[in-house]
């Protein structure tokens, strides 16, 4: 199944690359803008100035965190909307640019925000719960100078990581489940019903999804290593030319070409992997 969805995703992106790229652009642009407004330097400076000018510092912190919160919601909405749009397009056989805004059809975006909040809350509770228990055993080990408590702390931490991954995989397609199954069947509680529905959908398929994610990571890492090898080889070759004008000119041209190729590869991998996950969801259905 993993290889099949990768092949299907690759084929779909290859056949509809320009349409899918166009659908991808709104989410990318919103993400870039959000990153620009996530001014960590301003937050750091405001915190350091709390004792000097607390009023100005607090105003800066409030505005910075407000912008970060707004753009984090927008980034999530556009990202989810892209997945919904790709699913709709693949099912209809027509990759239309307007499908990139599928989450903004009616009140769907409200359900997305609520689901995003609830899913984040569940994951946060799991992290805090296991972290607190692990820290309690860790500090008990420090106080008692007993390695047994350190072993228990490590075990709790490992169990916490495993549970977090298990839950995250179980909720991986919650937005798509909401979009296809529960959004229209129950307008008031569809976002709540999407949790048990996606949990049942992923039963017996978590390891396959984990395998897909791991394989996608390995492919990305392989592409990164390939570019790294090319860069090293080019750098070594031109270092042997003793910095002549021709060598510098060729190095500049090759550097630009390698940079462009890297950008194209990154974008294509992103679209390919995204489409492969859509194919995975469709096979589950």
């Amino acid at each position: 199944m993993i290889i099949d969805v990768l092949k299907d995703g690759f084929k779909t992106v290859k056949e509809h690359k320009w349409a899918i790229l166009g659908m991808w652009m709104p989410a990318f642009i919103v993400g870039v803008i959000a990153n620009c407004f996530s001014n960590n330097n301003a937050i750091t400076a405001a915190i350091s100035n709390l004792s000097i000018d607390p009023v100005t510092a607090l105003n800066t912190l409030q505005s910075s965190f407000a912008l970060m919160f707004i753009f984090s919601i927008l980034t999530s909405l556009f990202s989810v909307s892209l997945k919904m749009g790709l699913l709709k397009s693949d099912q209809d056989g027509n990759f239309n640019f307007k499908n990139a805004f599928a989450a903004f059809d009616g009140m769907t975006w409200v359900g997305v925000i609520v689901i995003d909040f609830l899913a984040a809350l569940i994951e946060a509770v799991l992290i805090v719960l296991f972290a607190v228990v692990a820290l309690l055993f860790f500090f008990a080990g420090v106080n008692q100078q007993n390695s047994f408590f350190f072993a228990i702390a490590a075990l709790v931490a490992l169990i916490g990581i495993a549970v977090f991954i298990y839950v995250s995989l179980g909720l991986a397609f919650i937005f798509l489940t909401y979009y296809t199954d529960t959004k229209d069947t129950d307008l008031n509680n569809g976002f709540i019903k999407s949790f048990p529905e996606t949990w049942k959908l992923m039963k017996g398929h978590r390891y396959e999804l984990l395998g897909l994610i791991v394989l996608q990571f390995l492919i990305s890492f392989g592409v990164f290593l390939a570019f790294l090898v090319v860069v090293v080889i080019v750098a070594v070759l031109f270092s042997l030319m003793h910095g002549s004008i021709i060598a510098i000119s060729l190095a500049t041209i090759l550097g630009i070409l390698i940079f462009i190729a890297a950008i194209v590869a990154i974008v294509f991998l992103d679209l390919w992997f995204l489409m492969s996950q859509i194919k995975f969801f469709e096979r589950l259905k």
Side-chain angles (χ1 to χ4, degrees), residues 78-95:
F78 274 87
S79 177
V80 171
S81 187
L82 172 61
K83 294 177 183 178
M84 292 177 172
L86 288 175
L87 177 62
K88 176 178 173 57
S89 298
D90 198 44
Q91 291 175 337
D92 296 343
N94 181 25
F95 286 83

Side-chain angles (χ1 to χ4, degrees), residues 120-136 156 160 164:
L121 182 62
I122 292 171
E123 292 177 345
V125 168
L126 286 174
I127 292 172
V128 171
L129 177 63
F130 282 97
V132 168
V133 175
L135 286 173
L136 287 174
V156 171
F164 180 82

Side-chain angles (χ1 to χ4, degrees), residues 1-11 13 83 86 169 172-173 206-225 265-281:
M1 181 176 179
I2 296 174
I3 301 300
D4 290 337
V5 297
L6 282 172
K7 287 181 179 178
D8 289 346
F10 185 90
K11 181 180 178 181
V13 173
K83 294 177 183 178
L86 288 175
L169 290 173
F173 295 113
R206 286 180 175 84
Y207 293 117
E208 290 177 313
L209 179 57
L210 181 61
L212 176 63
I213 294 171
V214 171
L215 186 55
Q216 289 177 337
F217 169 77
L218 292 176
I219 293 172
S220 299
F221 187 67
V223 172
F224 167 76
L225 286 181
I266 290 171
V267 173
F268 181 81
L269 286 176
D270 190 30
L271 298 180
W272 177 23
F273 294 163
L274 188 59
M275 199 66 233
S276 296
Q277 292 186 10
I278 299 298
K279 296 288 186 179
F280 188 98
F281 176 78

Side-chain angles (χ1 to χ4, degrees), residues 126-155:
L126 286 174
I127 292 172
V128 171
L129 177 63
F130 282 97
V132 168
V133 175
L135 286 173
L136 287 174
F137 279 106
F138 176 80
F139 287 120
V142 173
N143 292 330
Q144 301 294 327
Q145 294 296 307
N146 191 331
S147 59
F148 174 75
F149 289 108
F150 290 118
I152 295 297
L155 180 61

Side-chain angles (χ1 to χ4, degrees), residues 44-196:
T44 303
I47 292 174
S48 63
N49 289 331
L50 276 173
S51 58
I52 301 172
D53 189 355
V55 176
T56 303
L58 287 173
N59 288 335
T60 301
L61 286 173
Q62 288 175 356
S63 59
S64 297
F65 282 122
L67 284 173
M68 288 176 63
F69 177 73
I70 292 171
F71 276 103
S72 66
I73 292 177
L74 287 174
T75 301
S76 178
L77 274 175
F78 274 87
S79 177
V80 171
S81 187
L82 172 61
K83 294 177 183 178
M84 292 177 172
L86 288 175
L87 177 62
K88 176 178 173 57
S89 298
D90 198 44
Q91 291 175 337
D92 296 343
N94 181 25
F95 286 83
N96 197 313
F97 177 74
K98 69 177 183 180
N99 289 342
F101 306 96
F104 299 95
D105 180 20
M107 299 299 290
T108 303
W109 62 276
V110 177
V112 170
I113 292 176
V114 174
I115 291 172
D116 199 17
F117 172 76
L118 293 176
L121 182 62
I122 292 171
E123 292 177 345
V125 168
L126 286 174
I127 292 172
V128 171
L129 177 63
F130 282 97
V132 168
V133 175
L135 286 173
L136 287 174
F137 279 106
F138 176 80
F139 287 120
V142 173
N143 292 330
Q144 301 294 327
Q145 294 296 307
N146 191 331
S147 59
F148 174 75
F149 289 108
F150 290 118
I152 295 297
L155 180 61
V156 171
L158 289 175
I159 293 174
I161 292 172
V163 171
F164 180 82
I165 293 174
Y166 184 82
V167 172
S168 297
L169 290 173
L171 300 178
F173 295 113
I174 188 167
F175 295 109
L176 296 182
T177 302
Y178 169 68
Y179 184 66
T180 58
D181 293 353
T182 64
K183 175 174 69 71
D184 296 325
T185 58
D186 192 335
L187 297 177
N188 295 322
N189 300 310
F191 56 87
I192 297 296
K193 291 184 177 180
S194 61
F195 282 86

